[in-house]
Amino acid sequence: MGLRSTTDPLFQIEKVFDKVKNMDDIDIDKLEDFFTATEEWNTAVNMSNSMAFISQFGVSIIELLFFLMNRITQPCMRLS
């Protein structure tokens, strides 16, 4: 996604977001929209990182969701 290398365009974009929050000439009326957009950005990046991590193991998202749903719906085994 262009977040890792110093030559990537989005490298340390979070720092840019933080600087914008503290700017003096920011439009107060658009501040909530900005916060919403940065939260959505962070959520998308986190999901992307999670999917990239999971894909390393050759597991599709559908297979992972199927596995998790089965774990949730099946009762836990008790060790006696």
Side-chain angles (χ1 to χ4, degrees), residues 64-77:
L64 179 64
L65 290 174
F66 181 75
F67 171 77
L68 292 173
M69 291 304 296
N70 282 338
R71 297 290 292 167
I72 291 170
T73 58
Q74 293 178 3
C76 295
M77 285 181 25

Side-chain angles (χ1 to χ4, degrees), residues 28-43:
I28 302 285
D29 297 330
K30 295 183 180 179
L31 194 58
E32 188 167 335
D33 291 337
F34 174 77
F35 285 132
T36 301
T38 56
E39 288 174 10
E40 289 174 0
W41 166 262
N42 288 330
T43 300

Side-chain angles (χ1 to χ4, degrees), residues 11-47:
F11 180 70
Q12 296 185 341
I13 191 68
E14 297 85 12
K15 289 184 179 181
V16 175
F17 291 156
D18 289 338
K19 286 181 183 178
V20 171
K21 290 177 190 176
N22 298 320
M23 289 176 62
D24 292 333
D25 59 344
I26 194 165
D27 186 356
I28 302 285
D29 297 330
K30 295 183 180 179
L31 194 58
E32 188 167 335
D33 291 337
F34 174 77
F35 285 132
T36 301
T38 56
E39 288 174 10
E40 289 174 0
W41 166 262
N42 288 330
T43 300
V45 168
N46 290 334
M47 282 296 293

